[in-house]
Amino acid sequence: MKLHFVCIFIFIFVSKVNAMHLLDKNNLKNLKENWEFVSDKVMGGLSSGKIELVSESDKSFVRLSGNVSTENNGGFIQFRSNFDIKNENFRGIRIIAKGFPSEYFVHIRTKFLLLPWQYYKGKFEVSEQWQKYEILFNDFEKSNFYQPSNFRTQEINSIGFVAIGKDFKPILDIIEVELF
């Protein structure tokens, strides 16, 4: 019994040591300094939205909300941040999220992607209840045929959370994000 408990403790400890937290729950008040909101208005689209810090039931989290419109060749809102990742051993991204039930995406840009429409995307679908999502980097899809098929974690320079591709009013609440 003691050996079983020790093995579980070591597994949990090692899992957390090998994780890189991207959304500091203890410092969400500095949200605007570390994360930026971007919409398709940068290319003439009509989508609008915001990111904000929300507190409910003694939990603080980030909310992306707005109106995604595909009119005028648009169709996205997102919040993103730049990162300098030194560790090459991460296999994916882990998110705890809820919101308006829909598909949402993680967009990763690397140092080698120069054009705004170049990224790697990983899909997750939220419900109205908090859930944990794990997306392996090997499962990310490239946005253009001429991009490399995969990337190394040390090449990542930005990560964004995106509502895209259809007319809807997204609400995406994220309480935790980490690389694992």
Side-chain angles (χ1 to χ4, degrees):
M1 179 69 177
K2 288 182 182 180
L3 179 61
H4 183 57
F5 176 73
V6 170
C7 289
I8 291 173
F9 175 78
I10 290 172
F11 175 76
I12 291 170
F13 180 74
V14 169
S15 295
K16 289 299 178 186
V17 167
N18 289 328
M20 178 180 173
H21 295 277
L22 304 179
L23 191 63
D24 185 357
K25 290 191 288 189
N26 298 321
N27 200 15
L28 285 177
K29 292 185 172 126
N30 293 335
L31 174 69
K32 303 272 185 193
E33 293 174 23
N34 300 317
W35 294 86
E36 68 175 325
F37 174 82
V38 180
S39 76
D40 58 22
K41 287 185 179 183
V42 299
M43 54 183 240
L46 302 175
S47 298
S48 61
K50 62 183 177 179
I51 56 170
E52 61 187 325
L53 178 63
V54 177
S55 293
E56 288 178 359
S57 304
D58 297 329
K59 291 182 180 182
S60 294
F61 51 89
V62 176
R63 172 171 286 164
L64 171 69
S65 62
N67 182 41
V68 174
S69 171
T70 56
E71 286 186 58
N72 209 29
N73 296 317
F76 74 88
I77 61 173
Q78 71 173 298
F79 72 100
R80 68 179 180 202
S81 186
N82 294 325
F83 295 96
D84 184 20
I85 300 169
K86 304 287 188 212
N87 189 333
E88 186 60 37
N89 298 322
F90 297 118
R91 298 177 304 119
I93 189 164
R94 183 178 297 124
I95 308 158
I96 298 178
K98 70 177 180 86
F100 175 79
S102 185
E103 290 181 342
Y104 296 90
F105 295 87
V106 177
H107 282 190
I108 290 180
R109 293 185 44 81
T110 69
K111 298 169 183 166
F112 303 111
L113 302 179
L114 305 176
L115 302 172
W117 54 83
Q118 296 175 310
Y119 52 85
Y120 295 91
K121 68 178 178 180
K123 179 173 66 172
F124 62 106
E125 191 166 334
V126 302
S127 70
E128 294 176 344
Q129 305 301 317
W130 290 111
Q131 289 184 307
K132 183 187 296 186
Y133 305 90
E134 291 186 351
I135 310 168
L136 296 174
F137 291 139
N138 288 339
D139 293 336
F140 274 65
E141 299 175 6
K142 60 185 181 177
S143 62
N144 289 283
F145 71 93
Y146 48 82
Q147 288 174 222
S149 294
N150 50 36
F151 56 89
R152 296 179 18 220
T153 55
Q154 289 174 317
E155 297 168 350
I156 295 172
N157 66 0
S158 75
I159 298 174
F161 299 93
V162 188
I164 189 170
K166 62 184 179 183
D167 295 320
F168 75 121
K169 297 188 182 310
I171 299 172
L172 176 60
D173 297 336
I174 298 179
I175 197 166
E176 187 172 315
V177 177
E178 65 183 8
L179 299 183
F180 69 92

